[in-house]
């Protein structure tokens, strides 16, 4: 299988290319960069497979011959690029957020279904085995999550980062809300019924850099969280249920060499579990390969739709 990357992003260089180069089901790599962007030699350090570079997205889409595309551009251009790759007959993976509106997500999903193609929002962290362990802890204790508290906030980024540029789809909400809505979907298996959303701080051009949310789900379940670009680093999740509390750090960005600690309290008895080391990017791509072999895309469609629906509900609150 050949893969085409639309966008030569830092995420691609640091996290994805080393994984792709070690996957035996990927034969050839193509990359299309933004027209005015300059190539560096980073890819030479991590890629041993055959690779073709294109100086713009259009040439890459028209000439790569790839059957699988991964969109890793600025948020505002995810939709238009994914539309082109799907129309070209490529299965398409998209950095989160896959789109900036539910209407755009619905259009991509509809096009993918019509052409029997996969489209997926790459919410990578959910593929780490520690997420399955968290669910197993709840099951083993014959309980379920009632309240999820999520925090993901970090110190300010460089001023030239696209996340501070509203016209490029920047802002804390688009960048981090996929974590909030996907963690709710994963544990509650539903979309929120009611949302409370507070934008806390803005840049001079009106781009929000922090926000807080309360999401109400069916059966008395809820999620509260704070996300942003303007605090000390925090990346933490608490799951609270009947006679159980579970805490885990680095939930959204667990590195491949980290044996993460899961801290549990059950009926006031505390214990810890170590999650195994794993590369969530590698597991995501392996899941995609399995889905393609089985031609089973429905789960990816549903996840993308549910998360886009939840983001739209929050913003329209």
């Amino acid at each position: 299988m050949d893969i085409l990357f639309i966008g030569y992003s830092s995420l691609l260089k640091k996290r994805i290319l080393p994984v792709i180069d070690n996957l035996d089901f990927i034969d050839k790599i193509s990359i299309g960069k933004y027209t005015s962007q300059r190539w560096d030699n980073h890819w030479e350090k991590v890629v041993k497979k055959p690779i073709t570079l294109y100086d713009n997205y259009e040439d890459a889409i028209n000439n790569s011959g790839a059957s699988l595309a991964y969109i890793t551009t600025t948020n505002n251009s995810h939709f238009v690029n994914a539309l082109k790759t799907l129309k070209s007959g490529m299965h398409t993976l998209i950095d989160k957020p896959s789109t900036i509106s539910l209407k755009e997500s619905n259009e991509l999903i509809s096009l993918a279904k019509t052409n029997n193609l996969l489209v997926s929002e790459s919410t990578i962290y959910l593929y780490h085995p520690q997420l399955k362990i968290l669910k197993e802890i709840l099951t083993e204790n014959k309980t379920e999550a009632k309240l999820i508290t999520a925090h993901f906030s970090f110190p300010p980024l460089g001023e030239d980062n696209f996340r501070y540029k509203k016209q490029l789809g920047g802002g804390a909400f688009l960048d981090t809300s996929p974590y909030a809505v996907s963690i709710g979907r994963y544990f509650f298996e539903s979309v929120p019924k009611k949302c409370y959303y507070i934008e806390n701080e803005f840049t001079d051009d009106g781009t929000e850099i922090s926000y807080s949310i309360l999401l109400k789900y069916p059966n008395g379940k809820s999620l509260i969280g704070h996300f942003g670009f303007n605090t000390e680093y925090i990346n933490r999740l608490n799951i609270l249920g009947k006679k159980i509390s579970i805490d885990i750090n680095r939930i959204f960005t667990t590195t491949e060499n980290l044996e993460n600690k899961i801290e549990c309290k059950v009926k006031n008895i505390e214990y810890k579990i170590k999650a195994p080391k794993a590369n969530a990017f590698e597991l995501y791509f392996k899941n995609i390969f399995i889905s393609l072999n089985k031609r089973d895309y429905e789960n990816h469609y549903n996840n993308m739709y549910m998360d886009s629906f939840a983001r739209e509900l929050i913003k329209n609150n």
Side-chain angles (χ1 to χ4, degrees):
M1 177 187 299
D2 295 350
I3 187 168
L4 166 65
F5 292 99
I6 297 298
Y8 189 52
S9 65
S10 59
L11 178 70
L12 174 65
K13 290 188 277 187
K14 294 177 182 178
R15 302 299 302 277
I16 300 177
L17 282 180
V19 167
I20 291 295
D21 200 56
N22 289 320
L23 295 176
D24 58 10
F25 53 84
I26 298 295
D27 301 311
K28 178 186 171 184
I29 300 168
S30 296
I31 305 174
K33 70 172 181 62
Y34 186 64
T35 305
S36 61
Q37 185 181 13
R38 292 184 178 181
W39 290 111
D40 58 27
N41 66 346
H42 183 85
W43 62 268
E44 295 177 327
K45 301 175 183 178
V46 295
V47 177
K48 298 182 181 66
K49 294 181 187 291
I51 187 167
T52 304
L53 306 178
Y54 296 91
D55 287 331
N56 60 75
Y57 301 158
E58 292 292 335
D59 285 348
I61 294 170
N62 292 335
N63 300 313
S64 71
S67 58
L68 177 65
Y70 189 107
I71 312 297
T72 176
T73 60
T74 53
N75 293 337
N76 69 314
S77 62
H78 285 178
F79 171 72
V80 65
N81 285 307
L83 204 60
K84 290 176 181 177
T85 55
L86 287 169
K87 286 182 177 179
S88 296
M90 300 181 197
H91 302 289
T92 300
L93 319 177
I94 315 169
D95 272 347
K96 56 82 186 167
S98 53
T99 66
I100 60 175
S101 73
L102 179 60
K103 180 181 178 182
E104 290 181 350
S105 291
N106 283 338
E107 187 170 344
L108 293 181
I109 294 168
S110 177
L111 179 60
K113 286 183 175 181
T114 298
N115 292 285
N116 196 27
L117 295 170
L118 180 148
V119 65
S120 171
E121 181 176 72
S122 59
T123 314
I124 300 294
Y125 81 96
L126 287 175
Y127 293 83
H128 195 287
Q130 65 195 3
L131 272 296
K132 184 178 179 181
I133 292 173
L134 293 175
K135 272 194 173 180
E136 288 172 348
I137 293 170
L138 294 169
T139 300
E140 289 166 2
N141 287 280
K142 299 178 181 179
T143 189
E144 58 184 1
K146 296 293 286 185
L147 170 66
I148 293 175
T149 304
H151 295 93
F152 190 22
S153 187
F154 38 87
L157 304 163
E159 291 183 1
D160 60 342
N161 193 292
F162 84 90
R163 291 172 180 83
Y164 291 110
K165 299 175 182 178
K166 198 167 188 176
Q167 70 275 19
L168 297 180
F173 180 80
L174 279 177
D175 193 63
T176 63
S177 61
Y179 297 117
V181 297
S182 62
I183 202 71
R185 163 176 57 81
Y186 183 79
F187 283 102
F188 299 146
E189 299 179 353
S190 175
V191 294
K193 299 301 181 184
K194 196 169 185 179
C195 305
Y196 301 89
Y197 170 64
I198 302 172
E199 295 172 319
N200 296 319
E201 192 172 343
F202 301 86
T203 61
D204 291 340
D205 74 345
T207 304
E208 87 286 342
I209 55 175
S210 72
Y211 66 95
S212 302
I213 54 172
L214 167 59
L215 309 182
K216 296 182 69 175
Y217 290 81
N219 302 315
K221 299 175 182 180
S222 58
L223 182 150
I224 60 176
H226 179 81
F227 302 83
F229 307 151
N230 62 344
T231 66
E232 180 54 85
Y233 187 80
I234 185 170
N235 181 351
R236 188 170 181 83
L237 187 78
N238 172 263
I239 302 169
L240 191 63
K242 187 177 181 181
K243 298 181 180 179
I244 193 168
S245 177
I246 308 171
D247 286 286
I248 184 169
N249 273 315
R250 292 302 300 264
I251 180 72
F252 300 118
T253 57
T254 310
T255 59
E256 60 267 28
N257 294 317
L258 177 63
E259 282 186 326
N260 218 357
K261 294 179 181 178
I262 302 171
E263 302 175 352
C264 305
K265 182 186 287 187
V266 180
K267 297 180 181 179
N268 214 32
I269 297 174
E270 298 181 1
Y271 65 96
K272 296 180 181 179
I273 297 173
K274 276 189 178 181
K277 297 178 183 179
N279 190 312
F281 283 90
E282 178 183 354
L283 295 173
Y284 172 70
F285 282 105
K286 286 182 176 179
N287 178 274
I288 291 297
F289 182 66
I290 292 170
S291 296
L292 291 174
N293 274 347
K294 292 182 176 179
R295 298 185 179 181
D296 183 7
Y297 314 144
E298 203 63 34
N299 189 52
H300 291 281
Y301 297 154
N302 289 340
N303 291 345
M304 183 170 163
Y305 170 78
M306 289 175 70
D307 290 355
S308 295
F309 179 92
R311 289 196 296 268
E312 189 99 338
L313 190 65
I314 295 169
K315 286 299 286 185
N316 290 336
N317 173 55

